[in-house]
Amino acid sequence: MKKILVTRKLLKENEDRIKKLFDVKLNEQDKVYSSDELIELSKDCDGILCIGGNKFDSYVFEKLSKSVKIIASYSVGYNNIDINLATKNGIIVTNTPEVLTDSTAEIAILTLLGAARRAYEGRQMAESQKWTWACNFLLGKEMSNAKLGILGMGRIGRAIAKRAKAFGMEIHYHNRTKLSTAMEEGAIYHDNIKSLFNNSEFLSINCPATKETTHLINENSIKYLPNEAVVSNTARGDIIDDLAMIKALKSEKIFALGLDVYNGEPKIHPEYLKLNNVFVLPHLGSATLKTRVAMGNRSIDNLENFFNNKKPKDRLN
Ligand code: DGY
C-alpha cells in the first residue's frame, strides 16, 4: 500500500475513504506544519495530500524525500507550490477545479454586497442598539443594474457573472484570452485592464495569482476605476497592493472593499481592520460541507488514479 502524508485533518467522509485506499499518516491535531515538519513527516511517504496551502518552495523541494512522487493539492489555487521545481524533481501536482466554483461564486457575491451595502457598519450599529433609522442612514451602493467588471473569467468568474445577471448587472471582463461567444453569454470583453476598470462600477477579482498578476491592483490601475467603485477579492491576496488600496479606501476613491483573501494569511493588514468601508471574511470561498467533501474526493481521486497508473484528471504538470 502506498503511503500518503495528509497535511491537515480531513472531514470524516474523506478520511474514511482515504484510509481504505492508502497507508495514511494523518494529522489528528490538525496542526499547521512548518516546512521542516513537512519535510520530516513525508520522509517515508509516496505522496502528499496538501491541505491549507503548505509552501512547496526551493527550500522544501531541496530537502523533500525522493520517495514523494505526487502532491495532490486540496484547492483550486496552487500558488503555494512551485510547479517548475516540482517538475524538475519529478513530482506531479494536481488541484481540485470545478467542485468549488459555486461556493466561491457565492462568497464573491457576498463580499460585493457586504461591501456595497455596508454590512460591517450595519452589524456594528445593530449591536450598539443606538441606531436611528433616517433617510440618510448607512446609504450604500446598489448592485442592481450597475456595471460589473470581472478580472479573470475562468469557471469562478463565469459563475459570478451568471449570478450577477440576476441583479440586472452589465458584465465586463478581462482574461488572457477572449472567450467564445457561447461562453461569454453576453459579457463584454476588454483586452486591457484600463478599459475593463473604466467600465467597472463593481470589480470582482478572480484571476490566478502569478508573477504577472502580483499587485495588478496598484496605485496606477486603481485610477482607472470610476470614482466610488466597489471592489471584491476572492482570488488571492497578492493581486492587490495593500498600501495603494488602503490609500484609495481612505480617500473614498474606492467606496468599499470586500475581502476573503489576504497577503500573508491568516494575517490581515491592520489598516483594513480599522476602516469601516472594508468587509472581511476569513477565506470562506470553499467553506461548505458539500464543497469540502467534493474537494477531498477530488484530491483522493487524483492520488488513486496516479498510483493506478492512470493520468490524474487534474494533473498540472
Ligand atoms: C482554493 O481552493 O484555492 C481556495 O482558495 C481554498 O479555499
Side-chain angles (χ1 to χ4, degrees):
M1 232 182 195
K2 297 292 181 187
K3 193 162 190 165
I4 306 295
L5 172 69
V6 182
T7 66
R8 295 289 303 278
K9 185 151 178 59
L10 278 168
L11 293 175
K12 185 173 177 339
E13 292 85 335
N14 299 134
E15 197 173 292
D16 289 348
R17 179 173 167 217
I18 198 168
K19 273 179 173 166
K20 288 186 195 137
L21 297 169
F22 299 103
D23 175 10
V24 278
K25 213 182 249 190
L26 299 173
N27 180 350
E28 290 300 345
Q29 306 306 318
D30 206 12
K31 183 173 184 238
V32 179
Y33 293 143
S34 67
S35 293
D36 287 323
E37 286 169 320
L38 191 69
I39 292 161
E40 186 56 35
L41 287 162
S42 53
K43 262 190 175 147
D44 53 347
C45 292
D46 302 289
I48 299 175
L49 174 45
C50 170
I51 309 173
N54 301 92
K55 256 209 164 92
F56 285 86
D57 51 12
S58 54
Y59 179 82
V60 172
F61 279 118
E62 229 164 75
K63 300 188 174 180
L64 196 68
S65 165
K66 297 288 169 253
S67 60
V68 174
K69 296 294 174 218
I70 176 168
I71 299 166
S73 186
Y74 177 101
S75 66
V76 66
Y78 48 89
N79 56 312
N80 53 315
I81 303 173
D82 188 324
I83 301 285
N84 288 334
L85 284 182
T87 308
K88 272 189 195 146
N89 284 277
I91 298 173
I92 85 142
V93 182
T94 61
N95 67 341
T96 60
E98 295 166 8
V99 293
L100 43 70
T101 301
D102 288 339
S103 54
T104 307
E106 286 182 2
I107 288 291
I109 297 291
L110 176 62
T111 51
L112 283 167
L113 274 176
R117 300 302 303 271
R118 305 176 68 172
Y120 170 62
E121 288 163 279
R123 167 85 199 203
Q124 286 177 317
M125 287 284 182
E127 272 179 5
S128 78
Q129 301 198 35
K130 289 200 181 100
W131 53 278
T132 312
W133 190 97
C135 294
N136 64 353
F137 180 59
L138 284 187
L139 302 184
K141 293 275 175 203
E142 201 152 312
M143 263 174 73
S144 299
N145 305 312
K147 289 181 178 183
L148 171 66
I150 299 180
L151 181 59
M153 198 67 153
R155 288 186 194 91
I156 295 171
R158 297 199 300 279
I160 294 165
K162 201 169 274 175
R163 286 156 177 79
K165 274 197 222 153
F167 287 82
M169 298 188 94
E170 182 178 287
I171 313 297
H172 297 254
Y173 76 98
H174 171 71
N175 215 30
R176 267 171 309 184
T177 47
K178 187 179 182 307
L179 302 180
S180 66
T181 310
M183 277 175 107
E184 274 179 344
E185 295 190 65
I188 301 157
Y189 179 63
H190 297 264
D191 66 4
N192 65 83
I193 298 286
K194 183 170 189 282
S195 167
L196 175 75
F197 284 17
N198 284 168
N199 285 283
S200 301
E201 293 167 296
F202 286 74
L203 176 71
S204 178
I205 301 169
N206 302 100
C207 55
T210 61
K211 273 188 205 125
E212 293 72 40
T213 63
T214 301
H215 287 190
L216 202 55
I217 314 298
N218 56 44
E219 191 152 0
N220 268 332
S221 60
I222 286 173
K223 286 187 196 139
Y224 304 146
L225 289 164
N227 288 337
E228 300 197 350
V230 174
V231 178
S232 138
N233 187 8
T234 50
R236 284 293 182 266
D238 38 14
I239 300 165
I240 296 183
D241 173 348
D242 289 332
L243 293 181
M245 179 55 80
I246 287 159
K247 199 169 150 198
L249 285 160
K250 284 184 176 166
S251 71
E252 290 172 25
K253 163 75 188 171
I254 303 284
F255 179 78
L257 173 71
L259 290 175
D260 189 42
V261 290
Y262 307 90
N263 278 304
E265 287 176 26
K267 292 206 173 77
I268 300 179
H269 195 297
E271 287 298 312
Y272 282 138
L273 300 176
K274 290 184 198 155
L275 292 169
N276 279 335
N277 52 350
V278 183
F279 175 76
V280 293
L281 293 174
H283 203 144
L284 295 182
S286 62
T288 69
L289 180 62
K290 181 179 163 196
T291 291
R292 289 282 163 83
V293 169
M295 288 164 75
N297 279 327
R298 189 87 174 213
S299 37
I300 297 168
D301 289 346
N302 286 323
L303 289 166
E304 205 186 3
N305 283 336
F306 177 72
F307 288 113
N308 286 335
N309 296 317
K310 288 189 205 139
K311 189 177 181 294
K313 195 171 174 192
D314 308 312
R315 186 172 174 163
L316 294 166
N317 60 342

